[in-house]
Amino acid sequence: MSKVITILAPAYNEEEVIDAFYERVVNVCNHIHEYNFEFLFVNDGSKDRTIDLIKSLRDQDKRVSFVDLSRNFGKETAMIAGLDYAKGDAVIIIDVDLQDPPELIPQMIDYWEQGYDDVYAKRKSRAGETWIKKWTSATFYKILQKTTRIPIQKDTGDFRLLDRRSVNALMEMRETQRYTKGLFSWIGYNKKEILYDRDPRVAGTTKWNYYKLLDLAIEGITSFSTAPLRFSALIGIVISIFAFIYMFIIIGKTVLFGESVIGYPSLMSVILFIGGIQLLSLGIIGEYLGRIFNETKNRPLYLVNEYNDDRVMVKHEIK
């Protein structure tokens, strides 16, 4: 019996590119005769005609499946929803904007058959992105790699092939604050890198603004490292040492020479500086406490409005 490979594509407001994506992916997969394919779209609460176009594709091709989420939960959650519903012996995650070339799929499958569990695509170049975005991305990965013990992959996205045991491992991880790129590294297993040049979007606009990218960066650092907490504690220790030294200097000076009422500007500067450090430390602690709060709610990661024309709620319980 032929193995099944699921092509998993999260989609949010992608009506301009859905048809082009389907045609290009199917054209690649139709030349691979040794496997059966499932084309699984996860509609992440799109406001345009994305779900209607996906349903139209399913009417034409029964290999097309879809999970229609009840609202927009974000790409990280959309991916775990797709993994929950994927039927394949392997799953290939790819964005529908065609920045990641489907033509790499045969090469990914070849490495999978050689025994690799995670065949990931690493970007050599990133067409269509500003230098600011490239610089901030490179800086983020440098910080993340230095603050965590997990070997986080640099310049890699979600475009990859995952063996079923890798998929099952990811399905076990039900945290609400998700940084999937870190989870790919955390599970380990046999990995293989493929280099490629990333293309600009075929149509439409990116859904990632700088605020969302910053939020994702914070998720990555706080999900896989306690370094910010240690850093705030270290800063507190250093400032406390200098504060005690300065206090003894002031006391000694007052005892030996007396002191008139002067130094208001310097006093206020010290107070404001220490107060700012305290607020910064409280903010870092608050980020971690907020994640603990969200996890203790024990809510399902997502709700499903429809799966292949069947109305359901949620498939997997939180473990």
Side-chain angles (χ1 to χ4, degrees), residues 206-217:
T206 180
K207 310 307 182 294
W208 291 95
N209 54 38
Y210 283 104
Y211 172 78
K212 291 182 178 180
L213 290 173
L214 176 61
D215 185 64
L216 185 64

Side-chain angles (χ1 to χ4, degrees), residues 152-168:
I152 302 294
Q153 300 155 355
K154 182 181 178 182
D155 290 329
T156 61
D158 304 312
F159 184 31
R160 64 186 63 223
L161 180 149
L162 298 168
D163 180 71
R164 172 46 62 177
R165 70 170 180 167
S166 295
V167 172
N168 290 341

Side-chain angles (χ1 to χ4, degrees), residues 6 8 38 40 81-88 90-91 164 167 315:
T6 296
L8 169 57
E38 174 192 28
L40 177 60
L83 295 179
D84 285 344
Y85 281 86
K87 299 177 180 178
V91 177
R164 172 46 62 177
V167 172
K315 182 177 181 180

